[in-house]
Amino acid sequence: MFEKLFKKNKKNEETAAASEKNSAEENTNKDSEVFNLTLEQIKREFSEKCVKISFDSIDENIFASKLGGFPYLPKGESFPLDANQKQMQLLLQINCADLVKFDFCQLPQTGILQFFIAKDRYYGWDSENPTEQTGFKVRYFEQVDTGVSIEDVKARIVEDEENKARSPILAENIRLVFEEGISTISINNENFDDIFVEKYNKNYGEDKIETYFDLDNAFIDKITKDLGDFESKTGGYPGFCQDDPRCATADYSDYDYLLLQLESDSTNLQFGDDGIANFFIPKNALQNADFTKVLYNWDCY
């Protein structure tokens, strides 16, 4: 009698265990299905065209689109100065004529756009005042005087041995190459968590999660891998090693266009430990070619 009862209990336990296993597998399958659906929706709805930037060979031409080196300086103009009255260094220069073929690009179609940074330990970044152009300077020259020579520019350089090594630029006068790309929202974007949670829970049919961190690590790793564009570019969605600096205060919410993003590659650029630099501008300021309103940030891992 006891032997029959034992076998019956054991069978019931095995049946219950099998039922729990099947239920867990069903939940896992549903989680995976809903996750993949949500990820595809975000890719489809939160992707934008951008102009990707890569680095080529040395080009000292002062009118060229390039990284570092000798900038175009109209006659009568000098290098911008930092808060200590030291000359800034050219970070990057864009000859806007190179972007005309990208009809979606919102940068000017003529002239030269330049990004200068101070030669200090933070490369001109001020975490408390990221929009104050005292450690960095964005310049735009709509009209270009082709009569200026590289000798004219070199004559205006003041050598500063003290700050010479304080630069994220590893290779200077490197010509830029532009190509069309697609940029997707990244997990560090200011609204990403809200967007993902809303779509995931709607697809699930109930409030399954409160933050994407509630997901299994395998799902989080896939989000990190599949979303975000951390390459050098103009336009599109930004990428960050840490947090979106525009979340720090409502005062920065208007800086809604990615004017420039630069990714460390250990060959041409190195912001800290494989960092990323971003320059943001309000869209209305960009439309008016007003580059006095720019937010500069860089962070690293």
Side-chain angles (χ1 to χ4, degrees):
M1 176 179 176
F2 289 108
E3 183 178 353
K4 290 182 178 180
L5 183 60
F6 174 77
K7 289 181 177 180
K8 183 177 180 180
N9 290 338
K10 185 176 182 182
K11 185 176 181 179
N12 289 339
E13 290 175 359
E14 291 174 347
T15 301
S19 178
E20 290 179 4
K21 181 179 179 182
N22 290 337
S23 178
E25 288 178 350
E26 288 177 3
N27 288 336
T28 299
N29 290 338
K30 183 176 181 181
D31 290 349
S32 181
E33 180 181 342
V34 170
F35 172 81
N36 289 330
L37 174 61
T38 303
L39 199 61
E40 289 306 312
Q41 287 176 338
I42 290 178
K43 286 181 182 179
R44 187 166 57 250
E45 296 178 31
F46 296 90
S47 292
E48 295 180 359
K49 288 184 178 181
C50 66
V51 178
K52 293 192 174 184
I53 300 172
S54 58
F55 306 110
D56 196 11
S57 54
I58 294 177
D59 188 348
E60 291 191 349
N61 181 352
I62 61 171
F63 306 105
S65 296
K66 60 181 178 178
L67 172 72
F70 307 116
Y72 163 73
L73 287 180
K75 294 176 181 178
E77 288 282 355
S78 58
F79 281 80
L81 304 178
D82 64 20
N84 296 315
Q85 299 303 298
K86 300 285 188 179
Q87 282 188 345
M88 295 187 191
Q89 60 187 323
L90 177 68
L91 174 62
L92 186 131
Q93 173 173 285
I94 296 176
N95 188 319
C96 297
D98 294 336
L99 303 178
V100 172
K101 59 183 177 181
F102 306 107
D103 57 2
F104 59 87
C105 183
Q106 298 185 39
L107 268 63
Q109 296 188 348
T110 60
I112 288 181
L113 181 63
Q114 301 172 330
F115 300 81
F116 290 87
I117 56 174
K119 300 177 184 178
D120 58 35
R121 61 183 299 187
Y122 296 116
Y123 315 138
W125 173 58
D126 184 344
S127 60
E128 295 183 358
N129 300 291
T131 63
E132 295 295 327
Q133 296 195 32
T134 53
F136 76 98
K137 187 72 174 179
V138 179
R139 278 182 169 179
Y140 174 61
F141 299 107
E142 183 177 7
Q143 304 296 326
V144 178
D145 180 2
T146 56
V148 177
S149 69
I150 189 171
E151 287 73 22
D152 295 331
V153 175
K154 288 182 177 180
R156 284 172 265 179
I157 296 176
V158 177
E159 294 295 338
D160 184 1
E161 295 296 329
E162 179 184 355
N163 292 324
K164 193 172 183 179
R166 295 179 177 178
S167 173
I169 304 169
L170 304 179
E172 295 191 339
N173 292 299
I174 303 299
R175 186 168 61 88
L176 306 183
V177 176
F178 302 103
E179 63 178 333
E180 182 177 327
I182 297 294
S183 169
T184 60
I185 191 171
S186 70
I187 60 173
N188 289 332
N189 194 276
E190 56 181 336
N191 298 318
F192 176 79
D193 201 24
D194 292 338
I195 292 169
F196 186 91
V197 169
E198 180 182 1
K199 289 187 175 297
Y200 184 90
N201 286 338
K202 184 176 182 180
N203 291 331
Y204 209 91
E206 60 181 278
D207 291 341
K208 171 76 173 179
I209 61 174
E210 295 181 357
T211 171
Y212 75 87
F213 286 110
D214 292 339
L215 298 170
D216 290 341
N217 288 336
F219 290 151
I220 296 176
D221 290 342
K222 187 170 178 57
I223 292 175
T224 305
K225 180 180 179 181
D226 286 12
L227 295 180
D229 182 356
F230 303 99
E231 297 180 329
S232 299
K233 62 185 175 180
T234 178
Y237 286 96
F240 309 97
C241 297
Q242 303 298 330
D243 300 314
D244 190 333
R246 297 170 297 173
C247 296
T249 170
D251 294 340
Y252 303 149
S253 60
D254 291 340
Y255 292 81
D256 52 359
Y257 190 83
L258 182 61
L259 187 59
L260 177 67
Q261 176 169 293
L262 293 174
E263 178 196 30
S264 298
D265 63 4
S266 302
T267 301
N268 301 288
L269 272 172
Q270 190 68 35
F271 285 91
D273 296 328
D274 293 328
I276 295 174
N278 312 98
F279 293 83
F280 297 97
I281 188 172
K283 288 181 180 178
N284 60 349
L286 178 58
Q287 291 169 357
N288 295 322
D290 179 6
F291 295 98
T292 62
K293 300 177 181 179
V294 175
L295 186 155
Y296 164 50
N297 177 78
W298 71 268
D299 56 17
C300 60
Y301 296 103

